[in-house]
Amino acid sequence: MRKKVDERIRSLIENGVRARHRSMFVIIGDKSRDQIVNLHYMLSKSVAKSRPSVLWCYKNKKKLEFSSHKRKREIQMKKKLKYGLLDPEKADPFSLFVTTTKITYCLYERSERILGNTFGMCILEDFEALTPNVLARTIETVEGGGLIILLLRTLSSLTSLYTMAMDVHERYRTESHSCATGRFNKRFLLSLSSCKSCIVMDDELNILPISSHIKSITQSSSVQEDSEGHPKSEREQKVLEKQLNDKSTVGPLIRKCCTMVQDFEGLSEAERELKCLKEQLDGDFPVGPLIRNCRTMDQGKAVVAFLDAILDKKLQMTVALLAGRGRGKSAALGFAIAGAVAAGYSNIFVTAPSPANLNTLFQFVIKGFDMLDYMEHLNYDVVKSTNPDFNGETVRINIYKQHRQTIQYIHPHEHEKLSQVELLVIDEAAAIPLPVVKSLLGPYLVFLSSTVNGYEGTGRSLSLKLLQQLEQQDRISSQSVDTGVSGRLKKIELSEAIRYASGDPIESWLHSLLCLDVTNSIPSISRLPPPSECDLYYVNRDTLFSYHRDSELFMQRMMALYVASHYKNSPNDLQLIADAPAHHLFVLLGPVDESKNHLPDILCVIQICFEGQISRKSALRRLSGGHPPHGDQIPWKFCEEFRDTVFPSLSGARIVRIATHPCAMRLGYGSMAVELLTRYFEGQLTAISEIDADELPVADDSPITIVEAAEKASLLEENVKPRTDLPPLLVPLRERRPEKLHYLGVSFGLTQDLFSFWRKHNFAPFYISQVENAVTGEHTCMILKTLHSDDIGSNKSDPLGFFRPFYQVFRKKFTKLLARAFRQMEYKLAMSILDPKIKFSDVDTASSSPSGGLNSISETLSSYAMEQLEAYTNHLVDYHMTEDFVDDLARAYMLEKIPVTLSYAQASVLLCMGLQGKDTSRIQMEMNLERHQILSLYMEVMTKFHKYLSNVASKDTFPTVSRLKDITMEPHSVSVDDDLNNAAQQVEEEMKSKGDVDLLQEYAIEADFEMAGMLRPGTIISIKSEKKKMGKQVNNSSGKKRTKHDYSSKTNKKRKT
């Protein structure tokens, strides 16, 4: 059934096209897709150019309900035609829309790929999968006059969004906090009622009461205006036309003057400046042709700055372009690259998270070539990628008009390919990890652009970390130059929008909803009270996200502190604060004057997350190899590090963030906030026994429920408004019952300043990641502070309490890792982490076995090492002779087993040379000392060690120093003659012990002695014995004589044996 479309919908679209403002439609219903065709048709009729392109974002392909692949859709249509399921004369309008429209499909999880692209319409479905980050990425790709369409399934009531289970809530739930609350959805829905360019309607295009602000919308008409923006009267127009038609000499003169006036008529001051700039640079090449197509004055200045740097050809120069979305950053870079080609640059490299992010940049490079009279296929060729992951995107442009020139895309991690680069362009630098961006910088010209409003999550990381370091290097280099001028870094900022006109209501609504542009919301503080006069307050999140005017102002100020003082920010943080059941907020305020009706100044904000209370069964499952769930970072990491199943059952709080007002930094407000928070959880601020527990607010606020009146009303009758019966926004800690906790913990990127701050408040580390963070390039550090509790028996005089033995295990492990994973760590940071005791009393030093000291020198050194140490202290050998055992000495000293007093410099040299194995040249750069000074400090340390170890060795039983035993020549107790006589007597006694007959029987001769009497005396005869000797018997069964070969083989066998 055909139905007439509400004129207000058509008027909103047409007004947005005329004003170059975006419009948004929220369609509720299962048939909401059918209305996409109608809205796209109305948009196509309103715009003068071709059909608008469409960006379709969804959760997964299974819920898309149709194929996003063109070829697959054609096959499906052929099958339906074959089986008679599709009538070609009555084609489905939606199918025709999908077939004939240029649609880019994108999963929510891959929404980073659309950065830098522009579309005429954006469709967002699967509301439960939407996150603030995705919302900001997708909406900001729509050009002026385009549409944003949000599809929701059928709802019985708009307030049912308050209790809708979002996909991200699964990450917020923990074992002890499982009830997530939809505060962000509530604020999102209420904000739609204040967006002037948004209409909420059902799937039959019936406008709902929440969009009551759209009742008075009318179609705008084109009216001629004067230079001040006021409409001209009809009389003035008729008089002017009569004068122009006059054929006398006055007419041509008036027409000439009117032509000059019309050039500047209706232009803003910035547009007039841009027009003057274009006229001034019209004759300059290549600036003149390129700046001709600039849309704003900011963009024109950026292109001029880029081309100035290109023509100067300075090495190690970086030009940073910072702006919000839709300000023309990619276009300015594209024009600059075209100018670099005209200036003769040969090797130009372009990098971004993905080639898809460079679509706009390459389009404007080609557009710049057209303005410079470069012709495709004649002067340059465009090369598309053959990588299936890049989807045929442009990755290279070969230019050969003057000489061989190349514009080449490289992946951000391929910095080793930049050996021959002359110009490096980094687009969307905020989406690239900070360490990778640092590795890309080098002795060449670098252009980089970044979004710094925080919507990409790392934009503030680039501005606060990288650019601060570059500015510091620039100041150092400028001080070293006599002229005092150095151009190594130049920052350019774009404020005027190009993708859509200024004053776009969708931009204002989105920035307010996601707190994207909160840097301007930081109020100046007229008076900074002493920290001792300040107090800590609990922030009620139901009131904070109620969308009241005061609550919104307070939230903007609070998020402004987050952005100004912390580099890891994203819109998703806002949803985490709103919906996560374990997260809570505290603010530090000065003395509040209740007589004045205004919001107090926020000095410090603390965000905490309750963790722990994990069952022993879950802990054992984790130790057996299971992956840890989301949340409970400190309990799971502690369980993993120490294989302990008791600690996860304890309850604790992790300080997620602490942000201080920029005007109040380093004045003690952060320390005061941490101290008050510790005292609060220890029960020192609230005396529960003196106050009725029923009067105190409970720790967890009750979840928001659907309003009963809204359940009975239909969508066309429901009127959604903010709640009026809200609790106070700020609750003093003395009026709130604290949770029972056993510890406080923090997880942060390890830096010297942050670690010193937390160590000052008695927090001790138990884990430092060996791998650097991909975004910040810092090691993740987790620290703990025990709270006084009667549940755990511990020494209350010890600030570490039950954590003491675990801390000792960590220190012992860290001393070993300093030679491997943390070898490049600065010595000051390593000394702060180990925190060794370097001052000992004379009693401890003189004692051979102090508490925790050495009982025996063999625990640390061998006897050979002790001898080498003595030789080194006596200047007999070089310090290299101590390298094989200095790590043992350093480890023993850091663990307080060698109670010797050292200075901080001596202990630092011992750590660098002993534990980290650094050479003297590296120590020279870090400690700013000369080589002889380092070796002198090292000698003093070894001398003190030798003195102490010698004292221990004097009371210890040591083996001989030499590893070879000496031979002493001493006379035998028995002389040689006596020894021979004794041996002879032993032989005689053995012979006498045997019988004479048995002894002589061995020599008996068997012969015929009858003939012996016939011989004369003195005759010598020979007698042949018939008895065979057993030793001479040879077994020769063959009867053959033994040959020489037999004897030789026998000899060989003997030799082998």
Side-chain angles (χ1 to χ4, degrees):
M1 183 180 70
R2 300 176 63 88
K3 180 181 178 181
K4 185 179 179 180
V5 179
D6 195 321
E7 287 297 331
R8 292 175 291 179
I9 298 175
R10 190 186 305 273
S11 299
L12 180 62
I13 296 176
E14 293 177 354
N15 293 347
V17 172
R18 289 192 184 96
R20 292 186 62 244
H21 289 169
R22 296 168 294 176
S23 305
M24 184 167 68
F25 294 91
V26 181
I27 308 176
I28 302 173
D30 295 336
K31 297 181 180 180
S32 56
R33 284 186 180 180
D34 298 337
Q35 303 302 336
I36 294 176
V37 183
N38 298 327
L39 294 176
H40 189 270
Y41 174 74
M42 286 187 282
L43 178 63
S44 302
K45 288 186 64 178
S46 301
V47 297
K49 58 180 183 179
S50 60
R51 290 168 58 87
S53 59
V54 177
L55 171 65
W56 196 306
C57 299
Y58 54 95
K59 178 181 178 181
N60 52 50
K61 293 183 178 180
K62 294 181 179 179
K63 290 193 173 184
L64 193 57
E65 297 181 1
F66 63 93
S67 177
S68 60
H69 196 276
K70 185 176 181 180
R71 180 60 180 167
K72 291 182 178 179
R73 287 198 305 270
E74 292 177 357
I75 295 174
Q76 291 175 359
M77 292 182 66
K78 288 180 180 180
K79 287 183 178 180
K80 291 181 179 180
L81 287 172
K82 181 179 179 181
Y83 294 105
L85 300 176
L86 180 64
D87 187 359
E89 297 181 358
K90 298 180 180 179
D92 181 18
F94 181 78
S95 300
L96 290 176
F97 166 76
V98 173
T99 305
T100 58
T101 308
K102 182 182 178 182
I103 302 178
T104 300
Y105 299 94
C106 179
L107 294 171
Y108 284 141
E109 60 185 12
R110 299 178 182 177
S111 56
E112 295 89 354
R113 297 185 177 184
I114 62 174
L115 296 177
N117 297 309
T118 303
F119 303 94
M121 176 184 284
C122 175
I123 302 172
L124 304 174
E125 63 175 340
D126 302 327
F127 181 80
E128 67 276 1
L130 271 178
T131 62
N133 275 6
V134 172
L135 203 63
R137 290 192 193 110
T138 53
I139 290 179
E140 289 296 339
T141 60
V142 180
E143 62 184 354
L147 302 182
I148 299 108
I149 301 177
L150 184 60
L151 305 180
L152 278 75
R153 65 176 185 266
T154 301
L155 300 174
S156 60
S157 170
L158 286 176
T159 52
S160 61
L161 290 176
Y162 300 175
T163 56
M164 177 180 289
M166 306 295 287
D167 292 349
V168 73
H169 287 175
E170 185 64 27
R171 300 177 54 189
Y172 299 161
R173 298 186 181 96
T174 61
E175 186 170 334
S176 57
H177 300 83
S178 59
C179 183
T181 306
R183 298 184 183 91
F184 182 83
N185 287 354
K186 173 188 176 182
R187 182 170 172 268
F188 169 80
L189 181 62
L190 293 173
S191 68
L192 296 179
S193 61
S194 62
C195 183
K196 298 179 181 180
S197 295
C198 176
I199 294 180
V200 182
M201 54 189 179
D202 60 9
D203 53 4
E204 295 181 357
L205 300 186
N206 297 315
I207 299 178
L208 302 184
I210 191 175
S211 300
S212 58
H213 60 278
I214 214 73
K215 288 182 179 180
S216 59
I217 188 172
T218 56
Q219 187 173 355
S220 61
S221 58
S222 57
V223 180
Q224 291 185 350
E225 298 176 348
D226 57 13
S227 58
E228 296 180 359
H230 302 291
K232 296 180 179 179
S233 64
E234 296 181 0
R235 182 180 178 183
E236 291 177 352
Q237 295 181 18
K238 290 180 179 180
V239 172
L240 183 60
E241 290 176 359
K242 184 177 180 180
Q243 292 176 349
L244 292 175
N245 294 329
D246 189 1
K247 296 183 179 180
S248 63
T249 56
V250 180
L253 182 61
I254 293 178
R255 283 195 296 270
K256 184 177 181 180
C257 294
C258 290
T259 302
M260 298 175 61
V261 172
Q262 286 175 358
D263 291 341
F264 292 95
E265 188 177 9
L267 299 179
S268 63
E269 184 178 354
E271 291 174 342
R272 294 175 183 176
E273 292 179 358
L274 177 63
K275 193 173 183 63
C276 293
L277 181 64
K278 291 180 180 179
E279 293 176 354
Q280 292 175 3
L281 301 176
D282 189 41
D284 296 339
F285 184 86
V287 183
L290 292 174
I291 203 174
R292 202 174 296 155
N293 278 6
C294 291
R295 302 285 296 276
T296 63
M297 187 62 183
D298 288 344
Q299 192 181 42
K301 291 180 180 179
V303 173
V304 171
F306 282 138
L307 293 177
D308 286 343
I310 289 172
L311 298 176
D312 289 344
K313 296 185 177 181
K314 290 184 179 180
L315 296 178
Q316 292 185 343
M317 182 176 181
T318 302
V319 182
L321 182 62
L322 308 177
R325 297 296 302 166
R327 264 60 181 175
K329 300 185 299 297
S330 298
L333 288 175
F335 290 151
I337 293 174
V341 172
Y345 280 70
S346 299
N347 296 320
I348 302 174
F349 287 86
V350 183
T351 184
S354 172
N357 304 134
L358 299 175
N359 283 337
T360 303
L361 185 141
F362 279 117
Q363 288 175 7
F364 280 91
V365 170
I366 296 174
K367 194 171 184 178
F369 286 163
D370 295 340
M371 292 184 288
L372 297 174
D373 297 330
Y374 280 63
M375 299 180 65
E376 190 175 359
H377 305 306
L378 184 62
N379 302 123
Y380 68 91
D381 288 327
V382 179
V383 180
K384 302 290 185 178
S385 175
T386 58
N387 189 339
D389 295 336
F390 293 163
N391 198 20
E393 304 290 349
T394 302
V395 293
R396 186 170 182 169
I397 299 179
N398 296 323
I399 306 101
Y400 33 84
K401 183 177 182 179
Q402 301 175 359
H403 58 279
R404 181 72 175 180
Q405 296 171 289
T406 304
I407 304 173
Q408 175 69 51
Y409 167 80
I410 63 169
H411 194 270
H413 293 275
E414 298 175 345
H415 57 86
E416 65 276 358
K417 297 183 179 180
L418 300 175
S419 57
Q420 302 296 327
V421 65
E422 298 177 47
L423 171 62
L424 174 65
V425 179
I426 308 174
D427 196 13
E428 301 295 349
I432 303 174
L434 183 59
V436 179
V437 177
K438 289 182 180 179
S439 65
L440 291 171
L441 304 181
Y444 37 78
L445 183 60
V446 179
F447 294 164
L448 62 88
S449 70
S450 170
T451 303
V452 294
N453 281 340
Y455 104 96
E456 287 167 295
T458 58
R460 297 298 298 180
S461 176
L462 184 79
S463 61
L464 293 180
K465 288 285 183 179
L466 179 61
L467 297 184
Q468 284 180 1
Q469 295 176 5
L470 293 178
E471 288 176 350
Q472 184 178 4
Q473 295 175 4
D474 194 26
R475 287 194 298 268
I476 295 174
S477 61
S478 64
Q479 294 174 1
S480 61
V481 181
D482 296 336
T483 60
V485 178
S486 178
R488 296 183 61 182
L489 175 65
K490 186 173 184 179
K491 287 199 302 184
I492 307 171
E493 295 185 4
L494 304 180
S495 58
E496 191 172 354
I498 295 179
R499 186 171 294 165
Y500 39 81
S502 58
D504 182 36
I506 297 298
E507 181 186 33
S508 302
W509 167 80
L510 189 66
H511 285 186
S512 176
L513 174 67
L514 304 181
C515 301
L516 294 181
D517 193 17
V518 294
T519 53
N520 300 325
S521 301
I522 303 177
S524 59
I525 300 179
S526 58
R527 174 181 175 270
L528 291 174
S532 58
E533 297 180 3
C534 300
D535 205 352
L536 199 64
Y537 292 83
Y538 175 80
V539 180
N540 189 291
R541 292 185 293 167
D542 284 345
T543 307
L544 183 66
F545 290 90
S546 62
Y547 205 67
H548 280 273
R549 186 186 63 178
D550 293 340
S551 299
E552 285 296 305
L553 180 59
F554 191 84
M555 180 189 299
Q556 296 289 333
R557 292 182 179 180
M558 189 177 65
M559 296 305 297
L561 297 189
Y562 270 25
V563 174
S565 60
H566 204 276
Y567 53 87
K568 291 167 58 178
N569 290 280
S570 72
N572 282 349
D573 299 334
L574 196 64
Q575 190 174 18
L576 175 71
I577 296 173
D579 296 354
H583 285 251
H584 296 267
L585 295 171
F586 297 85
V587 292
L588 183 72
L589 307 177
V592 179
D593 188 359
E594 298 181 357
S595 62
K596 297 181 179 180
N597 188 18
H598 65 83
L599 290 174
D601 295 326
I602 305 175
L603 300 173
C604 185
V605 182
I606 294 183
Q607 177 184 348
I608 69 169
C609 175
F610 292 123
E611 297 183 339
Q613 296 181 353
I614 302 172
S615 63
R616 182 178 177 84
K617 183 179 180 181
S618 300
L620 292 174
R621 191 186 310 114
R622 170 72 181 95
L623 292 177
S624 63
H627 296 286
H630 295 287
D632 294 322
Q633 293 184 15
I634 288 180
W636 287 127
K637 183 56 66 175
F638 196 97
C639 177
E640 178 184 350
E641 284 292 305
F642 302 105
R643 315 301 293 179
D644 185 83
T645 59
V646 177
F647 183 84
S649 63
L650 304 179
S651 59
R654 173 171 55 90
I655 299 178
V656 181
R657 290 187 180 185
I658 176 170
T660 309
H661 196 285
C663 300
M665 289 185 176
R666 300 184 181 277
L667 296 179
Y669 293 105
S671 298
M672 177 56 63
V674 174
E675 181 181 350
L676 290 174
L677 188 70
T678 304
R679 293 172 56 194
Y680 168 68
F681 285 119
E682 287 182 342
Q684 300 180 17
L685 299 183
T686 306
I688 302 297
S689 58
E690 298 179 3
I691 303 177
D692 188 6
D694 296 336
E695 298 178 359
L696 292 175
V698 294
D700 250 353
D701 301 312
S702 59
I704 302 174
T705 59
I706 301 176
V707 184
E708 295 181 359
E711 291 180 347
K712 300 178 181 179
S714 63
L715 285 176
L716 296 176
E717 299 174 353
E718 182 183 9
N719 192 4
V720 181
K721 293 182 179 180
R723 287 176 55 189
T724 57
D725 53 339
L726 290 169
L729 176 64
L730 302 175
V731 180
L733 295 187
R734 292 177 177 83
E735 301 177 6
R736 183 179 184 273
R737 182 170 61 248
E739 290 78 1
K740 192 174 184 180
L741 302 181
H742 300 96
Y743 63 87
L744 289 177
V746 190
S747 177
F748 60 95
L750 185 59
T751 60
Q752 180 64 54
D753 294 338
L754 284 178
F755 188 84
S756 300
F757 172 81
W758 293 112
R759 198 70 184 92
K760 180 177 63 176
H761 295 281
N762 295 326
F763 284 82
F766 73 90
Y767 167 76
I768 298 178
S769 65
Q770 301 182 33
V771 181
E772 296 178 347
N773 184 276
V775 176
T776 62
E778 299 168 347
H779 297 273
T780 300
C781 178
M782 292 186 179
I783 55 179
L784 279 181
K785 178 181 182 179
T786 58
L787 302 177
H788 297 304
S789 175
D790 298 334
D791 296 346
I792 302 177
S794 59
N795 186 7
K796 294 186 178 182
S797 60
D798 187 359
L800 295 181
F802 70 88
F803 180 58
R804 172 68 66 180
F806 300 102
Y807 177 60
Q808 296 297 341
V809 173
F810 164 78
R811 294 180 73 242
K812 186 176 182 179
K813 180 180 179 180
F814 184 73
T815 56
K816 297 180 180 179
L817 292 176
L818 279 173
R820 297 191 290 271
F822 306 118
R823 187 175 183 181
Q824 304 302 325
M825 181 179 289
E826 295 185 1
Y827 76 94
K828 291 182 180 179
L829 182 57
M831 286 288 292
S832 300
I833 295 172
L834 283 175
D835 193 21
K837 183 179 180 182
I838 59 178
K839 301 295 183 181
F840 292 90
S841 62
D842 296 337
V843 177
D844 293 338
T845 305
S847 176
S848 61
S849 178
S851 178
L854 294 178
N855 294 317
S856 173
I857 193 174
S858 59
E859 298 179 11
T860 303
L861 290 182
S862 63
S863 57
Y864 173 73
M866 186 65 186
E867 188 179 65
Q868 290 294 100
L869 179 62
E870 182 179 2
Y872 173 69
T873 55
N874 293 330
H875 303 278
L876 300 179
V877 295
D878 192 43
Y879 77 94
H880 293 291
M881 300 299 293
T882 63
E883 290 180 349
D884 59 334
F885 58 84
V886 67
D887 56 337
D888 296 328
L889 289 175
R891 192 173 296 110
Y893 179 78
M894 297 299 172
L895 298 178
E896 302 177 10
K897 292 185 177 180
I898 302 180
V900 175
T901 300
L902 298 179
S903 65
Y904 183 82
Q906 292 173 345
S908 300
V909 171
L910 177 64
L911 182 139
C912 293
M913 300 184 68
L915 295 181
Q916 292 185 302
K918 296 179 180 178
D919 54 11
T920 54
S921 59
R922 176 66 185 275
I923 302 175
Q924 281 181 258
M925 293 187 296
E926 290 190 11
M927 301 186 65
N928 197 19
L929 296 175
E930 297 296 333
R931 185 175 184 274
H932 69 275
Q933 293 177 313
I934 297 172
L935 295 181
S936 176
L937 292 171
Y938 185 71
M939 173 61 75
E940 294 173 0
V941 173
M942 294 296 105
T943 302
K944 293 182 178 181
F945 281 179
H946 178 261
K947 181 180 179 181
Y948 171 76
L949 294 175
S950 299
N951 184 28
V952 177
S954 62
K955 302 178 181 180
D956 193 11
T957 56
F958 252 98
T960 55
V961 176
S962 178
R963 289 171 293 176
L964 300 177
K965 295 182 179 180
D966 296 332
I967 302 175
T968 57
M969 303 298 292
E970 296 181 356
H972 289 282
S973 57
V974 181
S975 63
V976 177
D977 294 336
D978 295 339
D979 192 13
L980 291 175
N981 293 332
N982 293 335
Q985 291 178 2
Q986 291 179 2
V987 172
E988 290 178 358
E989 291 177 356
E990 290 179 359
M991 293 177 63
K992 290 180 179 180
S993 63
K994 295 183 178 181
D996 296 339
V997 178
D998 297 335
L999 183 61
L1000 297 176
Q1001 186 66 32
E1002 182 181 355
Y1003 306 99
I1005 299 175
E1006 296 181 1
D1008 189 6
F1009 289 96
E1010 294 180 357
M1011 296 180 61
M1014 299 169 51
L1015 297 177
R1016 290 180 295 178
T1019 303
I1020 300 174
I1021 63 173
S1022 61
I1023 300 173
K1024 181 179 180 181
S1025 176
E1026 295 179 357
K1027 186 177 180 181
K1028 295 180 179 180
K1029 292 185 178 181
M1030 299 302 295
K1032 299 292 184 179
Q1033 183 72 21
V1034 179
N1035 186 13
N1036 191 359
S1037 59
S1038 62
K1040 296 182 180 180
K1041 294 182 178 181
R1042 183 182 295 274
T1043 63
K1044 64 180 180 179
H1045 298 289
D1046 297 330
Y1047 286 104
S1048 63
S1049 62
K1050 183 176 180 181
T1051 306
N1052 291 337
K1053 291 180 180 179
K1054 291 181 179 180
R1055 290 176 181 174
K1056 291 179 182 180
T1057 304

